């Protein structure tokens, strides 16, 4: 599992801090939790500045290491839900749809990293995180949007926070559901999944009390090894029986397509780790480009997701569950081991998944009011416990894995992964492009924005309706 380690209160690091040279002229623009050190523009000055040459990274990563990190950030509970996503869309629409969504997501990530480089070059700063890129782009864009520059950071942080907490909800439901599947086989009467959630709650809180990310890294390494072995066993079960199209729909119901859209977005998008990974590379130029790290990773990821969804659906059909592990044969020890292994792997990385949510909540907001208190460390533990309890209570309220995945994918990643990159590019080049080039950019990005908004509204609404129905059925 990969965590957005690049999230920080500091939006920019000034030229003076990097080179020791005092900038020619600077002005400070206060924007709530961010302070932007902005170089006064002089004609041609920005052309002399290359952000890549001014980045100071303690332990830069190679291209291959970055590729592995990006793969780890995208391969998790989402890929296990792909057969269920194909059940909603059909094997043909699912395959084409996953490919198209993958292309769209990859293109939008390219928009984001190119805009970051351009804004860093103009402002003469080495790197920016996601909220800072968005705010800076708004300030560079149309005058009508500039009043939004103060609030846009909180909007981005809210989406990031909801997404990360949503991921943690998925983790809680996933772990409890797989433990329940094992326990039910060995007990005479099925046990409510909520009981298993309660059992894992206290250790979950203790894991999230770990304040240093360094101490969580070994858990990630163990989890990655377990996940790799588990995926191999899952593929064995998928291909153990001959593949058949009998009884499998090529095109699913239109009303269920939003559930497919949200699930694929949740599975594919790793938008929170993109800029930190690119910013920490030894040769960041190799991240983008036609044969760069991003395209290589996304080709592999989309191929794996289509393969898992396609063959998983052909194997299990309408019985495909929110995690393919729940479809594995109950009577086989190997299948039970896979459920236990993946439940353990996801469980021990809950702290990594929740790290960004804690970072945003504590460092960007709560610390400003409580940081000077002699009990600040105690208050931080309270915040950490509170966030874990939120994910726990949500999971207890609606313990439905596939609906959680679809909801948070449609709600958060439609905005973070598609809409905002299109907005960022438009604002970044608003005054630099003219004529046909500007018309094309605006038209294209408006279309992308409409797709994102429709996906957000329809996907979120459909998921919420399904959640409400599930809630009343449980009652």
């Amino acid at each position: 599992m990969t965590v957005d380690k690049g999230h920080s209160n500091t939006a920019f690091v000034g030229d003076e801090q990097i080179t020791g040279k005092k900038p020619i002229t600077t002005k400070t623009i206060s924007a709530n939790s961010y302070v932007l050190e902005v170089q006064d523009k002089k004609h041609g000055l920005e052309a002399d500045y290359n952000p890549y040459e001014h980045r100071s990274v303690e332990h830069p990563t190679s291209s291959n290491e970055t590729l592995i990190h990006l793969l780890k950030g995208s391969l998790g509970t989402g890929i296990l839900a792909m057969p269920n996503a194909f059940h909603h869309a059909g094997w043909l629409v699912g395959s084409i749809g996953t490919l198209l969504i993958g292309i769209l997501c990859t293109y939008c990530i390219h928009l984001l990293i190119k805009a970051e480089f351009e804004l860093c070059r103009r402002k003469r700063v080495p790197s920016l995180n996601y909220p800072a890129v968005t705010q800076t782009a708004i300030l560079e864009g149309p005058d009508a949007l500039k009043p939004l520059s103060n609030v846009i950071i909180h909007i981005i942080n809210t989406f990031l926070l909801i997404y990360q907490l949503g991921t943690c909800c998925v983790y809680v439901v996933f772990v409890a559901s797989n433990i329940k599947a094992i326990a039910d086989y060995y007990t005479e009467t099925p046990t409510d999944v909520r009981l298993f959630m309660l059992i894992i709650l206290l250790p979950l809180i203790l894991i999230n009390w770990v304040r240093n990310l360094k101490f969580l890294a070994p858990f990630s390494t163990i989890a990655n090894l377990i996940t790799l072995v588990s995926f191999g066993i899952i593929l064995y079960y998928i291909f153990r029986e001959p593949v058949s199209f009998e009884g499998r729909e090529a095109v699913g119901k239109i009303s269920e397509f939003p559930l497919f859209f949200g699930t694929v977005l949740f599975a594919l998008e790793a938008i929170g780790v993109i800029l930190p990974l690119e910013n920490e590379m030894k040769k960041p130029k190799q991240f983008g480009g036609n044969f760069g790290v991003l395209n290589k990773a996304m080709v592999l990821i989309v191929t794996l997701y289509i393969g898992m969804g396609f063959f998983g659906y052909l194997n299990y059909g309408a019985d495909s569950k929110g995690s393919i592990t729940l479809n594995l044969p109950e009577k086989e020890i190997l299948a039970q081991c896979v459920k236990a292994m993946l439940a353990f792997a996801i469980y021990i990385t809950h702290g990594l998944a929740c790290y960004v949510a804690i970072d945003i909540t504590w460092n960007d907001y709560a610390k400003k009011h409580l940081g000077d208190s002699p009990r600040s460390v105690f208050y931080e533990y309270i915040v950490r416990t509170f966030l874990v309890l939120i994910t726990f209570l949500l999971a207890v309220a609606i313990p439905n894995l596939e609906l959680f995945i679809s909801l948070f994918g449609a709600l958060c990643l439609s905005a973070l992964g598609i809409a905002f990159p299109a907005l960022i590019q438009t604002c970044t080049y608003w005054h630099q492009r003219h004529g046909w080039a500007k018309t094309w950019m605006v038209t294209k990005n408006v279309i992308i924005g409409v797709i994102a908004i429709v996906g957000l509204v329809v996907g979120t609404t459909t998921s919420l309706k399904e959640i409400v129905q599930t809630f009343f059925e449980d009652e």
Side-chain angles (χ1 to χ4, degrees), residues 383-426:
V383 169
R384 289 171 176 270
T385 304
F386 176 71
L387 291 176
V388 175
L389 288 175
I390 287 177
T391 65
F392 168 76
L393 292 173
L394 281 173
V396 166
I398 310 102
N400 191 305
L401 190 62
E402 58 266 33
L403 294 182
F404 261 130
I405 290 176
S406 178
L407 172 63
F408 291 113
L411 176 62
C412 299
L413 295 175
S414 293
L416 292 172
I418 301 176
F420 281 119
L423 174 65
I424 287 168
Q425 191 207 32
T426 302

Side-chain angles (χ1 to χ4, degrees), residues 120-136:
C120 286
R121 187 180 65 83
R122 290 184 201 170
K123 303 307 177 186
R124 301 177 65 79
V125 294
S127 63
L128 296 168
N129 60 20
Y130 199 135
V133 168
T134 312
Q135 185 188 51
T136 310

Side-chain angles (χ1 to χ4, degrees), residues 85-284:
F86 272 56
H87 159 58
H88 292 304
W91 59 263
L92 178 61
V93 174
S95 300
I96 297 173
T98 303
L99 177 62
L100 293 178
I101 293 172
I103 292 172
L104 178 60
C105 291
T106 306
Y107 177 73
C108 289
I109 293 172
H110 277 291
L111 295 184
L112 180 63
I113 59 176
K114 287 177 181 178
E116 185 218 10
F117 178 84
E118 175 63 19
L119 293 170
C120 286
R121 187 180 65 83
R122 290 184 201 170
K123 303 307 177 186
R124 301 177 65 79
V125 294
S127 63
L128 296 168
N129 60 20
Y130 199 135
V133 168
T134 312
Q135 185 188 51
T136 310
I138 293 290
L139 290 170
E140 291 283 299
D143 292 338
L145 295 180
K146 289 181 180 179
L148 297 176
S149 62
N150 286 341
V151 73
I152 197 70
I153 288 173
H154 302 300
I155 294 174
I156 295 290
N157 277 343
T158 298
F159 276 115
L160 285 171
L161 187 61
I162 293 172
Y163 171 59
Q164 293 300 148
L165 290 178
T167 300
C168 292
C169 288
V170 170
Y171 280 16
V172 172
V173 177
F174 178 88
V175 172
S177 298
N178 280 277
I179 295 175
K180 170 182 164 57
I182 298 171
D184 285 352
Y185 177 70
Y186 294 102
T187 57
E188 294 182 359
T189 56
T191 306
D192 193 324
V193 69
R194 295 174 178 88
L195 178 61
F196 294 103
M197 293 180 187
L198 186 61
I199 292 172
I200 67 176
L201 176 60
L202 181 58
L204 212 58
I205 291 173
L206 296 177
I207 288 175
N208 283 275
W209 276 7
V210 178
R211 299 172 66 209
N212 193 326
L213 193 62
K214 179 181 178 181
F215 297 130
L216 293 174
F219 294 109
S220 180
T221 303
I222 295 170
N224 290 329
L225 292 173
I226 293 174
T227 301
L228 186 64
V229 173
S230 300
F231 279 177
I233 298 173
I234 290 171
L235 291 176
Y236 158 73
Y237 278 108
I238 288 177
F239 293 107
R240 187 173 64 170
E241 302 294 335
V243 176
S244 172
F245 288 86
E246 185 178 352
R248 305 298 184 251
E249 299 291 337
V251 180
K253 298 178 181 177
I254 296 178
S255 61
E256 295 184 3
F257 186 82
L259 298 175
F260 163 79
F261 178 79
T263 302
V264 174
L265 267 187
F266 182 93
L268 278 177
E269 279 284 13
I271 195 69
V273 304
I274 293 299
L275 292 183
L277 287 177
E278 193 259 359
N279 289 340
E280 292 179 6
M281 285 184 67
K282 184 183 299 182
K283 298 178 180 178

